[in-house]
Amino acid sequence: MKKFVAVLSAAAMMTSLAACGYTADTANTAASSAETTASAAETTADTAAADSYKVAIVQQLDHASLDEIRVAIEKELDAKAAEKGITIEYKDFNGQNDATTLNQIGTQVVADGYDAIIPIATLAAQCMTTAAESTKTPVIYAAISDPAAADLTDIDYVTGTSDALNTQSIMDMMFAVQPDIQTVGLLYSNSEANSTTPIAEAKAYLDAKGIAYVEKTGNTNDEIMTAASSMVGQVDAVFTPTDNVVMAAAAAVSETLTKGGIPFYTGADSFVTAGAFATCGVNYTELGTYTADMALDILETGAVPAYHVMDGGIITVNTETAAALGIDYSAFNDLAGQVVEVTTAE
């Protein structure tokens, strides 16, 4: 009997030990499985985050050039999202050319945690750069004629595209079709950073040729229209660079100058589709597309490159305006690799 009890006791102890061993292994397996599940969840979350971006598109104000750029940016972001199988959420903001409004937009965009900001035009870029200073949110601007003059260089989270104007090319265009010009009108806004360098270059060019010029400025639509009207009868041609303030009134200015028999040479093709005579510059659809590609590259790689100057040299002519002015513009064919003919947009 003692031997039997001893055998039973030993068997019970072995069963107990076996049970303890099973429980420990099961716990370890469960813990390992939980860690694996958590790790997989983290990986899935990280992948989802990497494949989803929020982009704020901040337009300085409404006008044809900036609208064209914004549409091109959005189209390219949509195309890249579909191509790469990722999600790119973007939202449009408009500052209505008001610094206070733009600063408020900048504060909101940063607080809402956008992954990148694409400001269109100089004032918008300056305000977004200031707003993103604390977070270093990438700012990829579009259509800044002179980034250095706008204090948008040497900032590690800021880059973008420049539509730097070749002022000499436009001046050459003037004299190619109007060799007898005596006086040139310079129409611009003295609050527009994009106009500073081109206007200085135009003055230097005209001074070198001994040609007189008349400067007229304004900071509102009414002021610009008054300035344009005052040039009728005083000048033989008018030049405006990539000036956002004048662009907002481009259709009315173009009509006034054309009726006055004055060719209107400008810094962007959107002026020409609004009724101006001619320009030599960049294609804004291409600029918007390039800007969107830069933004996505920065989001995917984290590397912020130097700003990019878009290729120009495309002469755009409004054939309706040329006919109204009685100008033969065939000489333009010798000045550019490409001459694009357009009519006034409705």
Side-chain angles (χ1 to χ4, degrees), residues 188-258:
Y188 62 100
S189 168
N190 51 19
S191 66
E192 180 64 39
N194 282 353
S195 292
T196 303
T197 298
I199 290 296
E201 291 171 344
K203 290 178 182 178
Y205 180 103
L206 296 170
D207 285 339
K209 290 181 71 72
I211 303 295
Y213 51 83
V214 174
E215 292 182 75
K216 297 290 183 179
T217 64
N219 291 307
T220 65
N221 277 14
D222 288 343
E223 291 173 356
I224 292 298
M225 283 307 305
T226 298
S229 298
S230 70
M231 287 185 171
V232 176
Q234 292 191 57
V235 302
D236 303 304
V238 171
F239 167 63
T240 290
T242 50
D243 190 300
N244 291 300
V245 177
V246 180
M247 181 63 235
V253 170
S254 299
E255 183 178 5
T256 295
L257 294 178
T258 301

Side-chain angles (χ1 to χ4, degrees), residues 11-332:
M13 289 178 65
M14 290 179 66
T15 302
S16 176
L17 288 171
C20 289
Y22 174 78
T23 302
D25 289 343
T26 302
N28 288 336
T29 301
S32 177
S33 177
E35 288 177 4
T36 301
T37 302
S39 177
E42 289 178 7
T43 301
T44 301
D46 290 342
T47 301
D51 290 346
S52 178
Y53 303 107
K54 286 176 58 179
V55 178
I57 302 172
V58 184
Q59 188 168 327
Q60 183 170 315
L61 73 162
D62 290 315
H63 72 56
S65 291
L66 306 191
D67 292 345
E68 181 180 347
I69 293 167
R70 173 181 50 76
V71 169
I73 289 170
E74 293 174 351
K75 184 177 180 180
E76 182 67 1
L77 291 178
D78 287 339
K80 288 296 184 183
E83 176 188 323
K84 293 175 174 286
I86 60 178
T87 300
I88 303 177
E89 298 178 27
Y90 54 80
K91 183 175 181 179
D92 296 333
F93 300 85
N94 194 306
Q96 302 301 330
N97 210 34
D98 180 76
T100 300
T101 301
L102 286 164
N103 286 327
Q104 291 171 346
I105 290 171
T107 299
Q108 176 187 344
V109 165
V110 171
D112 288 347
Y114 280 83
D115 299 304
I117 309 171
I118 304 179
I120 307 174
T122 303
L123 182 59
Q126 292 169 328
C127 292
M128 295 310 107
T129 296
T130 299
E133 184 176 5
S134 60
T135 58
K136 306 300 182 190
T137 303
V139 175
I140 306 94
Y141 54 72
I144 309 302
S145 295
D146 191 341
D151 296 322
L152 293 171
T153 56
D154 301 321
I155 306 173
D156 58 6
Y157 60 95
V158 177
T159 188
T161 52
S162 171
D163 58 345
L165 193 63
N166 188 332
T167 308
Q168 180 174 332
S169 293
I170 296 179
M171 295 291 109
D172 288 344
M173 287 169 58
M174 279 189 187
F175 289 93
V177 297
Q178 292 179 267
D180 298 326
I181 287 177
Q182 299 297 310
T183 306
V184 173
L186 303 176
L187 177 64
Y188 62 100
S189 168
N190 51 19
S191 66
E192 180 64 39
N194 282 353
S195 292
T196 303
T197 298
I199 290 296
E201 291 171 344
K203 290 178 182 178
Y205 180 103
L206 296 170
D207 285 339
K209 290 181 71 72
I211 303 295
Y213 51 83
V214 174
E215 292 182 75
K216 297 290 183 179
T217 64
N219 291 307
T220 65
N221 277 14
D222 288 343
E223 291 173 356
I224 292 298
M225 283 307 305
T226 298
S229 298
S230 70
M231 287 185 171
V232 176
Q234 292 191 57
V235 302
D236 303 304
V238 171
F239 167 63
T240 290
T242 50
D243 190 300
N244 291 300
V245 177
V246 180
M247 181 63 235
V253 170
S254 299
E255 183 178 5
T256 295
L257 294 178
T258 301
K259 285 182 176 179
I262 303 170
F264 186 23
Y265 298 83
T266 64
D269 56 2
S270 50
F271 281 87
V272 181
T273 56
F277 169 50
T279 186
C280 181
V282 306
N283 181 298
Y284 279 113
T285 295
E286 292 179 2
L287 183 146
T289 300
Y290 195 102
T291 305
D293 288 341
M294 284 187 81
L296 185 54
D297 285 344
I298 290 168
L299 287 170
E300 290 182 326
T301 68
V304 179
Y307 73 86
H308 176 77
V309 179
M310 298 297 296
D311 292 333
I314 302 171
I315 290 180
T316 305
V317 182
N318 188 310
T319 56
E320 294 174 341
T321 303
L325 294 168
I327 293 180
D328 175 9
Y329 57 85
S330 58
F332 289 165

